[in-house]
Amino acid sequence: MIVAGIDLGSLATKTVILDIDATMLSFHILRSGPVYHGVAETSLGKALDSAGLARDDVAYIVSTGYGRRRAPFADAEVTEITCHARGAKYIIPEARTVIDIGGQDSKVILVNEKGHVVNFVMNDKCAAGTGRFLEVMANSLDVSIERLGEFSLQSQQEVEVSSMCTVFAESEVISLRAEGCAVMDIIAALHRAIARRIIGMVGQVGMREKVAMTGGVAKNIGVVRALEYKLGTNIILPDEPQISGALGAALIALDKVGSARDRM
Amino acid sequence: MKDILDRFSRITADPYKFVSDWKESNKKKVIGCFPMDIPEEIVHAADMLPVVIWRGNEPVTWGHAHLTTYNCGLVRSFIDDAVKGKLGFMDGMILWRQCLQVHELPYIIETNVHPAYFSYLYLPATFPGEVSRNFAVEEFERMKRGLEEFGGNTITVEALNRSIEIYNRNRSLLRKLYDLRRKNPGVLKAKEVLAIVQSSMLMPKEDHNKLLEDLLMNIEKKEASTDGKKKVVLTGSLCQTPQAAILDLIEDLGMVVVDDDMYIGTRYFDNDVEVTANPMQSFADRYFKPTPPSATKGDWTVHWGDSVTDTVRRNHADGVISLLIKFCPPHLCYYPDVKMRLREAEIPEVLIEVEHEMVSLENTRTRLQSFIESIGGL
Amino acid sequence: MEKEYKLNRLETTKLMGPMVDKHWAELRTAKERGERVGWCSGPMFIFPYAMDMKCHFMAGYAAYCAGRGAAEQVLEAAESVGELLDTCSYHRLHMGMAAAIEKNIPVKEEVLLPMPDLLIIGRFCTEMSHYAEGLYRRYSTPVVAVDMPPPQDKEDIARLEKYVEGQIRGSLIPEIERVCGRPFDYDRMSEILSVLKQACTLRNECWEFAKVNPTPWTLWDYGVSIAPIFYMMGKPESVTYYTKLRDELAERVEKKIPVMLPDGENYRLYWDSWLPWAFLGKIIRSFTKFGAVPICGRYPWEFFDHPEDIEPEPDPVRNWVQLYYTKSHIAYHASTKGGIDLISKLVEDYSIDGLVMLASKTCRFWQGQVPIINHIEKKYGIPGILLEIDQADASFYSDAQVDTRLQALFEMIDGRRRVI
């Protein structure tokens, strides 16, 4: 018997398959695209394929993420806050503060020893402090987004990008380039800007050690370092930061199956 | 019961129509009073209808020609309504120095709307000392004199006390409503309770009292089940209504509102006005009461967080939903302290920002859903 | 015709830096010397000064903190303890500073101050009360408060004056006496007002020179000169400073030396609301590029623009309140009507070409910015713009917005000049 968790994010859809002992059998990440319909099915199908399993084997499916209500075949939908908390805590048992920076939102979640959410703060109103911010800037600087992080660490001189608004910040970047500022320095400034947005959210929630980071932007070493510097602590990263939401959803699916069995 | 609830719902869905129709039938003057603390009894005793100014029913357009966009919804929509001519039925308006948003209004209203009667009160911060208290009494007296002049009639002490009694009756009935809801959460939907309180702000209190008496008898007989539902307390939403859609969302997600400290809520009817030989002093006494703690009054000796904590404990509630009107400086400044107190008391809380023009409820849904998941409603 | 404009900086203003630094340094070390410290919001510091208390002043601190390049750090400290972004940035600066002290958050040392013995509120802006309430809630600092409403109408002025004076005598003075353990020193208050009168009279002479075209100085120069006639009032250095300044300006006018090189300003502007301390460098460059100078503003004209009204004796307390209310109408100018009155006069006296309103995302104290633009435009045919930025928080600032809107203003002014 297996369960599945599907995280339908704005940029990527992730599926995790777990067996009854919570062992991860497979996971899959695929680009969501603008049309959600069918993406969840495809993602689930691909994850099952890579584990050599069939759809009938799946006892329970939990969907999460921005598009969680667009997986009508799911047995339950749970928010990404609850799922990220659960997933991150599972991978990093000592995590109590989870910072998740996704494609178009960011959140800071306080989690207890059971992996339950104690408190959370979200920014999903604008692109500041999200993956989108970095996408826009990478585009503007004609740099690949995968390399932004390492470039930021090569900065020699501190410059500032202070505007909170992504659109305004982009115009600041263009000005700085025109003035002859080094690209690495600008990239470092952008990473500090993201970190500043996140710090405010951490402040609202109240940081507790240990701090973990999930979501696509966790793969950006520059953001991680900028946050570590501002928080004054080390941040623990899972190997696959993008799948913690789907993992959390799958763990919740296991709970549901377990409690159903207990009731029987 | 359903009839009365439907009636309240219709009234609050289109207060413009209701109040102008009432004025047409009753041929009395209508005075718009800005939230939260203007003593409506004085208007009532002048034989005019006081209505509490409400947040408009359209996104703001022309209003932004007079005021920048980063002001609260109530102020922007009030200007919008006023300059669009939607408030022609208001014979007069009374505003007061409650916060930074309101003080933009007098000039804009006077120069663009020219109401027949306009007054701006400087109700003081409730700082300690006789001077503040005496000044409040003077301002209330000035309000009375202005209305006497406008109405052409003296407002007697007897008339004031009669109005005060009627208003106290309304307060006590609304308190009873809330008691019934506390004992039996879910007996009414949160938006129904909101409509009941808000309709009190739009019609003569005598009429509202009759309807309420009827309604309460029926509510007493009704039973509601809260099995599996998480009980929440709503706090904030100073001055203005939150969107009913948010209240629906809270309930759709499996929560039930058990209590609140919103203005269109307990804040409106907390504390009676004492019937005495000096009604202006009585109004000042009510105004200076330290509870419920008000973010606008400048009282540093009480803590709003304590009051919210007490409300949660009294109701054995599972958590708090803070409704923060966007660009409300008094609430913005106070919120971190309330949050800190709730954290110390280990009371789960979520912050929901409320805007006049709420484009999408999806963000709010995610926050509320995460909240209920976090308080065990998974 | 790309003229290269350049600001011709004054010599005298260079004296301000060390004076201001000394003031804040004395404040920082006050407790070490066993002195009492007050924190003031609203213009109440004359009262603690009369009792030899060292006093911090809210808006002055914001200017100092921003000027030292520490605003962002302090704002971040505020956010890290849960302050929300839409909140007044002056409020956040103070919560941030207090949080930095309490939690040892690293910020520039020179912007840290000792926690006060007394918080003195002058609720001129309602926010000025909120910040003290917040500090009390977190740190239990004693508070004394005076409500100081800006009058909406002239007919309200006398009544409000009585209210304010009553509170000062009934609450503020008794509390300061209690904290300091001695009777209030009315004589010292009179002395401070005396010195203030002298300094402001000299300052008004300096203002006269700005009526000349080309002007010998700008609002930027005046802005950095405010401290001696406001939150550093009563010091003899204020008279020395303004004497020097007056003399330097007189010399410039005599020799026809403009502040805007090569040959005078292109645009003379009114600036509304706080001066943009955190962005002074950038904004000065944006203005100067076009040969534009700000000459006057509602806020910097708050500092006792009618020194002839200052009467240190026999009753300094009454006179101080009268300056804000019945005599000099300082409080009234913050309202829309009062603002229109004052700004109309400034437009006429200083031959103003256009209005620039700092419309802060987080501040709503300066009333009627939009109606004022409309009114002045109708009456004088001069245009105005809003700069939707912030007084201290760079995250709300956009260079592109400022440059575009300023340029549009100058183009509007040019357009009207061509027609005339």
Side-chain angles (χ1 to χ4, degrees), chain A:
Chain A
M1 190 219 54
I2 58 172
V3 295
I6 311 178
D7 180 357
L8 290 93
S10 58
L11 294 178
T13 298
K14 293 79 76 177
T15 300
V16 163
I17 312 279
L18 297 180
D19 74 9
I20 192 89
D21 300 312
T23 310
M24 194 179 314
L25 301 177
S26 71
F27 71 87
H28 193 270
I29 304 172
L30 99 95
R31 254 194 113 64
S32 296
V35 181
Y36 272 121
H37 182 71
V39 165
E41 286 275 14
T42 311
S43 178
L44 175 61
K46 288 202 184 288
L48 287 167
D49 284 347
S50 63
L53 294 161
R55 182 58 195 274
D56 290 338
D57 299 327
V58 185
Y60 204 94
I61 302 171
V62 169
S63 68
T64 186
Y66 185 66
R68 64 188 178 280
R69 293 192 285 161
R70 284 170 200 76
F73 56 85
D75 297 290
E77 48 111 342
V78 174
T79 67
E80 57 270 41
I81 287 99
T82 308
C83 292
H84 268 279
R86 195 66 192 281
K89 171 77 177 56
Y90 187 76
I91 303 168
I92 305 163
E94 63 273 39
R96 293 293 178 270
T97 308
V98 179
I99 300 174
D100 175 75
I101 306 180
Q104 64 178 43
D105 67 24
S106 48
K107 35 201 174 289
V108 179
I109 311 164
L110 219 56
V111 71
N112 68 9
E113 54 301 332
K114 295 200 190 75
H116 295 155
V117 173
V118 171
N119 204 349
F120 70 93
V121 165
M122 266 185 96
N123 164 42
D124 49 3
K125 287 198 155 196
C126 76
T130 73
R132 178 74 71 209
F133 179 84
L134 291 173
E135 255 190 47
V136 168
M137 302 307 164
N139 202 45
S140 183
L141 291 166
D142 207 16
V143 166
S144 89
I145 191 162
E146 289 82 11
R147 302 203 68 191
L148 273 183
E150 64 175 273
F151 283 162
S152 78
L153 300 177
Q154 295 170 32
S155 166
Q156 300 283 322
Q157 210 178 331
E158 206 172 288
V159 301
E160 206 177 296
V161 172
S162 46
S163 191
M164 175 158 62
C165 167
T166 304
V167 173
F168 292 162
E170 192 187 4
S171 76
E172 273 184 81
V173 163
I174 293 169
S175 297
L176 287 170
R177 259 330 257 138
E179 285 166 30
C181 276
V183 172
M184 309 308 184
D185 296 338
I186 298 176
I187 293 176
L190 293 167
H191 284 66
R192 282 193 297 277
I194 279 205
R196 174 162 174 197
R197 293 280 67 79
I198 302 298
I199 295 309
M201 292 163 65
V202 174
Q204 280 184 57
V205 139
M207 187 180 93
R208 283 185 212 163
E209 296 280 14
K210 298 281 186 195
V211 181
M213 199 167 148
T214 61
V217 177
K219 294 199 258 193
N220 179 319
I221 187 67
V223 173
V224 176
R225 292 282 171 263
L227 277 171
E228 283 180 328
Y229 178 73
K230 283 199 187 283
L231 289 173
T233 188
N234 288 328
I235 296 179
I236 309 173
L237 303 169
D239 291 331
E240 290 289 343
Q242 266 185 297
I243 62 162
S244 16
L247 172 60
L251 287 166
I252 291 167
L254 259 189
D255 288 346
K256 297 275 193 193
V257 166
S259 60
R261 276 215 312 250
D262 291 342
R263 279 200 294 276
M264 285 196 296

Side-chain angles (χ1 to χ4, degrees), chain B residues 65-71 97-101 103-104 106-108 110 120 122-125 127-129 131-132 135 138-139 142 295-296 298-301 303 324 326-327 329-330 332-337 340 351 353, chain C residues 82-84 86-87 91 123-127 129-130 133-134 136-138 143 145-153 156 159-160 162-163 166-167 171 336-337 340 359-361 364-368 370-371 374-375 386 388:
Chain B
H66 302 275
L67 186 66
T68 51
T69 52
Y70 24 94
N71 284 281
R97 191 197 178 212
Q98 170 162 249
C99 67
L100 296 168
Q101 322 276 357
H103 75 182
E104 289 280 355
Y107 181 85
I108 299 172
E110 284 181 307
Y120 183 80
Y122 295 87
L123 299 186
F127 296 150
V131 175
S132 302
F135 189 72
E138 281 166 30
E139 284 299 282
R142 192 165 71 87
T296 54
D299 189 346
W300 60 84
T301 62
H303 200 304
L324 177 60
K326 194 159 173 79
F327 298 127
L332 282 167
C333 292
Y334 216 133
Y335 174 75
D337 294 307
M340 219 181 301
L351 172 65
E353 216 174 45
Chain C
E83 290 295 330
L84 300 174
D86 287 340
T87 315
H91 178 95
R123 189 180 182 247
F124 193 21
C125 167
T126 48
E127 162 51 36
S129 170
H130 295 323
E133 296 158 40
Y136 177 83
R137 282 191 289 268
R138 292 175 209 189
V143 184
V146 170
D147 194 11
M148 267 186 81
Q152 290 282 337
D153 281 291
D156 298 327
R159 193 172 80 243
L160 292 173
K162 189 163 156 261
Y163 169 48
Q167 293 172 77
S171 303
T336 309
K337 282 188 185 157
I340 286 174
S360 165
K361 276 262 156 61
R364 286 154 206 88
F365 175 64
W366 297 100
Q367 295 171 40
V370 175
N374 293 339
H375 180 98
L386 299 175
E388 289 174 66

Side-chain angles (χ1 to χ4, degrees), chain B residues 288-301:
Chain B
F288 271 79
K289 283 226 157 53
T291 53
S294 177
T296 54
K297 286 189 185 166
D299 189 346
W300 60 84
T301 62

Side-chain angles (χ1 to χ4, degrees), chain B residues 247-258:
Chain B
L247 301 176
D248 283 340
L249 201 49
I250 291 171
E251 287 163 343
D252 289 344
L253 289 166
M255 290 176 272
V256 65
V257 177
V258 70

Side-chain angles (χ1 to χ4, degrees), chain B residues 37-83:
Chain B
D37 293 292
I38 290 176
E40 296 169 47
E41 291 92 325
I42 303 179
V43 179
H44 186 270
D47 202 27
M48 304 178 197
L49 176 68
V51 295
V52 176
I53 287 164
W54 57 85
R55 187 168 62 80
N57 59 356
E58 294 182 84
V60 176
T61 52
W62 289 111
H64 289 153
H66 302 275
L67 186 66
T68 51
T69 52
Y70 24 94
N71 284 281
C72 76
L74 177 63
V75 159
R76 286 184 300 113
S77 74
F78 176 59
I79 292 181
D80 198 56
D81 280 351
V83 303

